[in-house]
Amino acid sequence: MRSTVYAVRGELMQRGEELRKAGREIIFTNIGNPQALGQKPLSFNRQVQALVNAPFLLENERIIAEFPEDAIARAREMLTKLPGGVGAYQDSRGSPAIRQEIADFLQHRDGYPSNAEHIFMTDGASPAVRMCLQALIRDSRDAILVPIPQYPLYSASIQLLGGSLLPYHLKEESGWSMNVEDLRNQVRLGRDNGMAVRALVFINPGNPTGQCLSYQNLKDLIEFAAEEKLVLMADEVYQTNIYQDELPFVSAKRVLRDIGGSVADELELISFHTISKGVIGECGLRGGYMELVNIHPEVIGEMYKIASINLSPNTMGQVSISLMVNEPKPGDTSYEKHVEEKGTTLASLIRRAHIMTDGFNKLEGVTCNFTEGAMYSFPRIRLPPKAIQAAKEAGKPADTFYCLALLEATGISTVPGSGFGQEEGTLHLRTTILPPENSIKEVIARLTKFHEEFMDKYR
Ligand code: DCS
C-alpha cells in the first residue's frame, strides 16, 4: 500500500478532536469549512434544494405558500434537468442541462464560448483534480509542477498515484508572487533528472497563501506552459473569495483566449470550481466541476470512461452547482434578498481578513501577508532557539510544536506550515479567517496572549 500525508486533517486535528471529546471548547480553524463555523446557507438555494429533494411538497398548497414563486419555478425546472429526480443516477459527467448552465455562466464570465461537452461535474473539486492527475501520471518519472506552499490535495494525490512532485516556490517577500524564471529552472532540473514534466498547477486565489494573481502573472504562466507544452491545471475554487479591489479575479481561460493565436488554440487548460467555497460554502453537499479546454477529444473520451466507473456525480451537488452558476436575476422575487445575503457574508469576510492579518502582524517575530483572497492567513513565525531546541527534544517539527502548544493553551486548532511545504528554514502556520465576527476578536486575543507567554517561556 502507498502511504500519504494530508496535514489539513493531521495530528493537530486529531489532538483537537481528543480535547473536544474531553469537554474542551475547540475552534476548528484548520479547515475551510464555512458552515461548520456558522456561515449561513443562502436561503434561495436551500429553498430550491428542499423542493427538489422532496417534490411532493410542490403538490402541497399549504407548504408551497411558504416558498417564493421563483424558488418554486426553479425547483420545477430543476426536476426536468434531472431525469428520475435526485434519487436517480445521472450522466457520469453530470446532467447535460446543468452542464449547459455552467457553459453559459463561463461564457458570460469570460466573454468567450464554452462547450458543455467539455465540462465534467464531480463530487466537489477534489475528485476532478484527482481524475486529471490520474490521467497525467503513468509512473514515477511523470512530474507535476506544484506551488510551494500548496494545498495538500496535490502532494497527497501525486504521492498516491506514484508520480513526482516538482516544486516551485512562491516568494513570500513579494506577496507570495511566482516567478517564471524559477519555474523554468525547475523544469530544466526535472528534465535533467530524467523526468517527464507533464503539468503545472496553480491555485488562484492561493491556498494557504491567500494571494491573488495579476493579469500579467497569468499571462506569463500561460505562455510559459504553452512554451514547455505543459497541461495547465487552474485551481480557481476561491474565485469569489476576493477581499480587495486591486487584484480582481481573472480566469485563466479568459487570459488564454485574450492572448489569442496558436497559444489560445493549443495550450491544454483544465480549470476547477466548487460549491464548497465562496459565500455559498456548501462543503458537505460535494459539488464541483472542471472545464477542459484544448484537450484532445480522445482524451476527453477516456476521461468520460474514467468518470463512468463512478457512475454519477451526486445529484444534490449538481443542483447546488446549477444554483451557483444561475442565480436569481433582477426582477425575480428572491433577487434582492439573495444579493443582500451574499453581500453580508462577503463584507464580513473582508473585515475578518483584515482582523486576522492585522492581529498576526502585531505579534513579536510574526509577519503575515494580507489575505487578498481565499479563506486563510499564513503567517511566518520566528521562534527563539530555545523553542526550536524544545521542539527537537519533543521529536516534533518546530511549527507543529508551536501549533500543538497553541491548541493546548487556547483551543485554537491550526495547521503547521510544514503540511503545505515552506521554504527551508522558515516556519508558518495556517488558520482560516472563518470564525464568526463576534468571536474572531476573541481568537486574536487568545492567540496574542499565548504567543507572548510562549515567547517569554523560550526567550
Ligand atoms: N482546491 C483547493 C485549493 C482547496 O483549497 C480545496 C479545499 C479544494 C480544491 C477541494 O474542495 P472541494 O473538494 O470541497 O471542492 N480546501 C480544503 C482546505 O484547505 N480546507 O478545507 C478544505
Side-chain angles (χ1 to χ4, degrees), residues 6 8 30-33 123-127 129 151-154 203 205 207 235 237-238 273-277 283 286-288 376 420 430 432:
Y6 183 72
V8 174
N30 59 305
I31 192 160
N33 193 8
D123 295 345
S126 310
V129 168
Y151 168 50
L153 164 64
Y154 293 94
I203 308 174
N207 174 11
D235 187 327
V237 300
Y238 296 103
H273 197 18
T274 182
I275 59 168
S276 298
K277 311 297 173 184
C283 297
R286 310 307 295 133
Y376 315 96
F420 307 93
R430 188 190 81 168
T432 69

Side-chain angles (χ1 to χ4, degrees), residues 80-390:
T80 68
K81 295 178 173 167
L82 295 164
V86 295
Y89 291 135
Q90 304 297 326
D91 185 287
S92 40
R93 296 163 300 182
S95 152
I98 296 176
R99 282 189 282 116
Q100 187 56 52
E101 288 181 287
I102 300 171
D104 294 344
F105 158 78
L106 292 171
Q107 178 151 352
H108 183 254
R109 187 193 68 183
D110 298 332
Y112 292 102
S114 167
N115 184 343
E117 291 300 303
H118 300 168
I119 292 169
F120 285 57
M121 277 188 271
T122 46
D123 295 345
S126 310
V129 168
R130 234 171 8 248
M131 198 193 289
C132 293
L133 291 173
Q134 191 174 30
L136 283 160
I137 294 171
R138 296 158 299 186
D139 59 44
S140 62
R141 279 173 312 154
D142 281 338
I144 313 290
L145 280 158
V146 174
I148 295 296
Q150 52 102 31
Y151 168 50
L153 164 64
Y154 293 94
S155 49
S157 304
I158 292 168
Q159 200 175 10
L160 274 179
L161 292 164
S164 294
L165 186 154
L166 201 53
Y168 66 94
H169 288 273
L170 304 176
K171 301 283 173 291
E172 183 164 19
E173 323 74 76
S174 49
W176 298 111
S177 64
M178 53 170 65
N179 174 338
V180 168
E181 249 348 277
D182 183 38
L183 277 166
R184 213 182 298 280
N185 287 338
Q186 288 302 88
V187 170
R188 198 171 307 132
L189 203 75
R191 290 191 177 141
D192 287 349
N193 285 316
M195 287 175 178
V197 187
R198 305 271 285 164
L200 164 58
V201 174
F202 72 93
I203 308 174
N204 178 39
N207 174 11
T209 37
Q211 84 286 22
C212 294
L213 296 183
S214 68
Y215 190 95
Q216 188 60 43
N217 277 158
L218 287 161
K219 191 160 174 279
D220 293 345
L221 261 184
I222 289 169
E223 283 168 349
F224 169 77
E227 221 171 279
E228 299 290 348
K229 302 213 178 314
L230 303 172
V231 176
L232 193 58
M233 294 176 67
D235 187 327
E236 301 177 330
V237 300
Y238 296 103
Q239 58 188 264
T240 60
N241 293 97
I242 305 287
Y243 310 133
Q244 37 70 47
D245 298 326
E246 294 73 30
L247 293 167
F249 172 73
V250 186
S251 72
K253 167 90 174 287
R254 191 185 124 200
V255 179
L256 174 72
R257 294 299 193 221
D258 282 356
I259 292 172
S262 61
V263 172
D265 296 331
E266 285 168 18
L267 176 85
E268 295 172 278
L269 169 70
I270 307 175
S271 61
F272 305 92
H273 197 18
T274 182
I275 59 168
S276 298
K277 311 297 173 184
V279 296
I280 300 177
E282 298 274 31
C283 297
L285 290 176
R286 310 307 295 133
Y289 70 81
M290 59 181 163
E291 184 191 22
L292 309 170
V293 177
N294 294 332
I295 303 289
H296 194 282
E298 272 178 39
V299 175
I300 297 182
E302 286 303 310
M303 290 179 80
Y304 190 12
K305 216 191 293 173
I306 294 174
S308 303
I309 300 172
N310 288 328
L311 295 167
S312 167
N314 91 78
T315 50
M316 288 312 286
Q318 296 181 54
V319 168
S320 307
I321 292 174
S322 161
L323 293 164
M324 173 172 77
V325 299
N326 184 3
E327 299 183 292
K329 305 281 181 293
D332 292 351
T333 319
S334 301
Y335 176 73
E336 270 158 36
K337 186 173 181 197
H338 193 74
V339 170
E340 192 216 276
E341 287 179 356
K342 284 177 51 174
T344 303
T345 302
L346 183 64
S348 168
L349 283 167
I350 294 172
R351 288 192 294 270
R352 284 180 273 168
H354 281 282
I355 294 171
M356 203 53 114
T357 41
D358 290 350
F360 279 118
N361 280 317
K362 289 202 181 98
L363 305 183
E364 181 190 349
V366 177
T367 48
C368 186
N369 286 330
F370 177 60
T371 299
E372 297 167 346
M375 292 181 171
Y376 315 96
S377 292
F378 196 62
R380 177 167 174 194
I381 300 160
R382 294 162 191 82
L383 299 179
K386 268 198 205 164
I388 310 273
Q389 188 54 35

